[in-house]
Amino acid sequence: MRAPAILRAAVPCIALAAGCGRATGPDVPLSQVVASETSLKFTITLPDGAAREALQGRLLVLVSAAAAGEPRFQVNDGPQSAQVFGVDVESWMPGSRRTVDGAAFGYPVSGLAGLPPGNYRVQALLNRYRTYTRADGHTVSLPPDMGEGQQWARKPGNLYSLPIERRVDPAKDDVVELTLDQTIPPLDPPKDTPWVKHVRIKSTLLSKFWGTDVYLGAHVLLPAGYAEHPEVRYPLAVFHGHFTRDFDGWRTDPPDEKAPCVYNARYGVDCYNRVREEAAYALYKDWISPGFPRMLVVQIQHANPYYDASYAVNSANLGPYGDAITHELIPYIEKQFRGIGEGWARFLYGGSTGGWEAMAAQVFYPDQYNGAFVACPDPIDFRAYTVVNLYEDANAYWIDGPFRRTPRPGRRNYLGHVSGTLEQLNHLELALASRGRSGGQWDIWQAVYSPVGNDGYPRPIWDKRTGAIDRSVADYWKENYDLSWILRRDWSTLGPKLRGKLHIYVGDMDNYYLNNAVYLTEQFLKSATPPYAGVVDYGDRAEHCWNGDHERGIAYSQLRYVQMYVPRILERIKETAPPGADPSSWRY
């Protein structure tokens, strides 16, 4: 799960309810302002020479109240988010124009007519799509990853306009003209170092599914003494998580004390950039120290047309990423860098998205890995899909009563103060893309877990505008991806294979309520027969993403995954290495 900024707690007006009009005032949230008619529009020109062919994608108009900066970098789900309106475009020929008007869906204000009049910085961007003809017979248009990890504002090849300062007033008959005359340049690939090697392989399984060449990547951290011990083979630790362009959290040079300090508002820590550098350098010093376990640590790259990570499982919409990672990428890495290459010597760890991936890979491939250290995992029980019970609730956004509707919260802090709703998080994604193509958190869960719809795109788990849940889709999710249910359903066969392998950590004030699903999972694990013999642990008043460290705050513990889990991996190897295994030659 990506950790977004704090949200504005505003409740949109229900379009079909009486009284939905253009009421304004200090007590009316902007997102509650709904009006359908305005003469204001934006015309966006695709200049001659901008492309060699007709383009398709999502055309975004971005409006910022900030005095400086580009609006494309200011759209988020925090309280200071820039405004975005989006429309789909197809067959857009260079030299022609497209229009964004009052019919476009937006966020935080849902309609252009509700935009408060004012002086703004305005910009347009085209998030380009390409066509895929998949092996399942469906043809779909999706935004390809271009080496940036599905970040539409920074995606190489996307076209955008330079910001202009402009008075915008929906009450006036006005046209705002923008031209997509800028192109985001390509990125240079990371370079190998003596410590970190970069791997990129063509996946046969994924290429067949997508009907085009698909690659998996990885950053491999080599153990100290690797070159001096050519006869040694090493255990493997796979660090699951979000896309990184290089090995994250590693630095062989001391921190730059002259670098300007950058304050981190979430943690309330000044000079947090230096804190990160100090932690990265500390890993290097620990890594080369005598007695530190020698093993391979891998961060994988599996960005795809829906998100910056695949969730490391087989999916009807994304393809067989689970098999590709476990049976293609990992064996390749072990062969290339002298891994032991057996299940007892492979381990998984990660936080948030990476926590769910680590647990899912351990559950779905129980013999291929010897332990998963699961921090702050995305929902592992869909009875607590954050704050929604997908099997009993009728609506994801609202709790209905006889005389009122109560919005469901989407984000809180460690004191329980709510700063955004589930509707707001989802409406941002809806403004950025239709058909679940936003590259956002809720859309990727849907893409991974859902069956394929008749149009070739993921079947929605709920109506993106209203929140009405589709129970038939929820039933599919349950049988295929509800990890807690799968454990309960299959424990007679999974239990013996998972004994001692599941270690789950979460803060009891996780910002996204992810602890709720862990509680439900723990209820089963504590009574499971045979015993699961693992760990479930909670951090008191700890937010996302607590990882089991009771001594340090999250701002610091999240920078020490390797130091935390590698010693625990070592203990697991001591306990479980089979007869004839080599548990010691790599302990030099």
Side-chain angles (χ1 to χ4, degrees):
M1 186 166 196
R2 287 176 178 160
I6 296 175
L7 311 176
R8 169 170 46 201
V11 182
C13 186
I14 305 303
L16 298 180
C20 277
R22 196 150 183 244
T24 59
D27 298 325
V28 180
L30 287 180
S31 61
Q32 193 170 344
V33 178
V34 176
S36 59
E37 296 182 0
T38 177
S39 297
L40 174 67
K41 62 183 178 181
F42 298 85
T43 61
I44 298 92
T45 298
L46 182 63
D48 289 324
R52 298 178 181 178
E53 57 188 3
L55 300 185
Q56 57 178 321
R58 185 72 168 182
L59 178 59
L60 305 174
V61 169
L62 312 156
V63 181
S64 172
E70 295 191 51
R72 64 181 168 128
F73 299 132
Q74 298 169 20
V75 174
N76 53 61
D77 48 14
Q80 303 302 321
S81 176
Q83 176 69 37
V84 56
F85 298 100
V87 297
D88 292 335
V89 295
E90 297 179 355
S91 303
W92 192 4
M93 295 298 298
S96 63
R97 296 180 175 183
R98 292 297 172 96
T99 299
V100 176
D101 57 23
F105 187 81
Y107 171 89
V109 178
S110 61
L112 180 56
L115 188 69
N119 295 318
Y120 297 110
R121 293 175 65 80
V122 183
Q123 187 175 32
L125 181 143
L126 177 65
N127 188 15
R128 296 175 61 175
Y129 295 173
R130 64 163 290 183
T131 298
Y132 296 89
T133 301
R134 297 193 312 230
D136 62 1
H138 289 289
T139 298
V140 292
S141 295
L142 296 166
D145 181 74
M146 300 297 289
E148 87 296 344
Q150 280 299 354
Q151 303 290 330
W152 58 265
R154 303 179 185 275
K155 184 187 295 293
N158 278 357
L159 306 174
Y160 66 100
S161 68
L162 295 176
I164 62 171
E165 296 185 6
R166 183 70 150 71
R167 175 78 180 173
V168 178
D169 186 350
K172 294 184 178 180
D173 186 0
D174 193 11
V175 178
V176 180
E177 297 185 353
L178 302 166
T179 301
L180 300 178
D181 53 6
Q182 306 293 313
T183 303
I184 300 175
L187 298 168
D188 293 328
K191 296 180 180 179
D192 284 352
T193 73
W195 293 100
V196 177
K197 306 300 181 182
H198 303 92
V199 168
R200 188 170 184 261
I201 67 166
K202 178 182 173 181
S203 167
T204 300
L205 294 171
L206 293 170
S207 298
K208 180 180 179 180
F209 176 85
W210 284 101
T212 189
D213 291 347
V214 175
Y215 293 85
L216 291 171
H219 316 307
V220 183
L221 178 61
L222 300 180
Y226 177 83
E228 292 77 19
H229 296 80
E231 76 289 352
V232 173
R233 299 172 67 204
Y234 300 92
L236 176 75
V238 180
F239 186 15
H240 277 288
H242 291 290
F243 179 93
T244 59
R245 297 205 65 243
D246 209 334
F247 196 95
D248 189 44
W250 171 263
R251 182 184 180 94
T252 57
D253 297 322
D256 183 2
E257 299 296 336
K258 297 181 180 180
C261 281
V262 177
Y263 176 75
N264 186 290
R266 179 192 175 192
Y267 302 124
V269 177
D270 199 13
C271 296
Y272 193 62
N273 54 319
R274 294 185 188 174
V275 171
R276 293 185 63 90
E277 290 185 354
E278 289 168 358
Y281 185 58
L283 173 58
Y284 165 69
K285 290 189 293 184
D286 289 340
W287 191 251
I288 64 174
S289 64
F292 197 86
R294 311 305 183 192
M295 58 183 63
L296 302 167
V297 175
V298 174
Q299 295 176 358
I300 64 174
Q301 287 183 315
H302 43 131
N304 57 80
Y306 282 102
Y307 200 54
D308 76 341
S310 70
Y311 277 72
V313 293
N314 297 342
S315 165
N317 292 288
L318 272 69
Y321 269 94
D323 287 351
I325 292 169
T326 297
H327 299 309
E328 291 182 329
L329 179 63
I330 287 176
Y332 177 88
I333 291 170
E334 289 172 327
K335 181 178 180 181
Q336 192 81 2
F337 299 103
R338 305 201 312 268
I340 291 173
E342 298 179 20
W344 67 268
R346 295 190 190 119
F347 297 86
L348 304 153
Y349 65 102
S352 193
T353 290
W356 194 95
E357 290 172 330
M359 183 168 173
Q362 183 66 80
V363 169
F364 292 150
Y365 303 91
D367 298 321
Q368 298 297 318
Y369 302 100
N370 197 18
F373 300 89
V374 179
C376 51
D378 290 0
I380 57 176
D381 189 314
F382 295 156
R383 293 173 295 174
Y385 187 58
T386 69
V387 296
V388 181
N389 185 331
L390 291 179
Y391 311 133
E392 296 183 4
D393 294 333
N395 192 285
Y397 299 162
W398 304 94
I399 302 171
D400 286 316
F403 302 109
R404 77 171 193 185
R405 309 189 80 192
T406 302
R408 295 188 191 274
R411 180 184 168 95
R412 64 179 174 181
N413 68 7
Y414 74 99
L415 295 174
H417 298 160
V418 175
S419 54
T421 69
L422 287 190
E423 183 184 49
Q424 290 170 330
L425 274 67
N426 280 267
H427 279 190
L428 169 57
E429 295 184 358
L430 184 57
L432 292 175
S434 65
R435 293 174 166 172
R437 296 177 287 189
S438 70
Q441 183 61 71
W442 300 88
D443 278 348
I444 183 55
W445 284 337
Q446 179 173 277
V448 173
Y449 307 149
S450 283
V452 179
N454 293 332
D455 61 358
Y457 298 94
R459 278 187 61 190
I461 184 63
W462 59 61
D463 184 294
K464 201 75 166 176
R465 284 182 182 260
T466 69
I469 295 172
D470 186 330
R471 193 61 51 77
S472 66
V473 176
D475 290 341
Y476 180 92
W477 285 30
K478 179 179 182 179
E479 294 301 322
N480 291 279
Y481 299 102
D482 185 327
L483 299 182
S484 179
W485 166 247
I486 291 169
L487 292 178
R488 300 196 304 273
R489 183 190 68 195
D490 301 336
W491 191 251
S492 62
T493 55
L494 279 177
K497 296 183 177 184
L498 294 178
R499 182 177 177 84
K501 293 183 178 182
L502 295 179
H503 311 272
I504 306 172
Y505 313 93
V506 68
D508 62 14
M509 290 301 293
D510 188 277
N511 301 95
Y512 311 102
Y513 305 86
L514 300 178
N515 50 303
N516 295 347
V518 176
Y519 296 146
L520 295 173
T521 305
E522 184 189 23
Q523 288 176 5
F524 166 71
L525 291 176
K526 286 194 302 184
S527 61
T529 303
Y532 83 105
V535 173
V536 179
D537 194 10
Y538 302 94
D540 179 37
R541 294 201 302 172
E543 294 186 355
H544 190 75
C545 182
W546 190 74
N547 60 8
D549 191 332
H550 287 278
E551 299 179 0
R552 302 170 182 82
I554 295 173
Y556 304 94
S557 64
Q558 70 167 350
L559 307 176
R560 302 185 71 258
Y561 273 94
V562 173
Q563 291 98 322
M564 282 190 60
Y565 294 147
V566 164
R568 301 179 195 186
I569 289 171
L570 179 62
E571 291 301 314
R572 179 69 183 167
I573 289 177
K574 288 181 179 179
E575 295 172 0
T576 62
D582 174 16
S584 61
S585 70
W586 42 273
R587 295 297 312 280
Y588 49 78

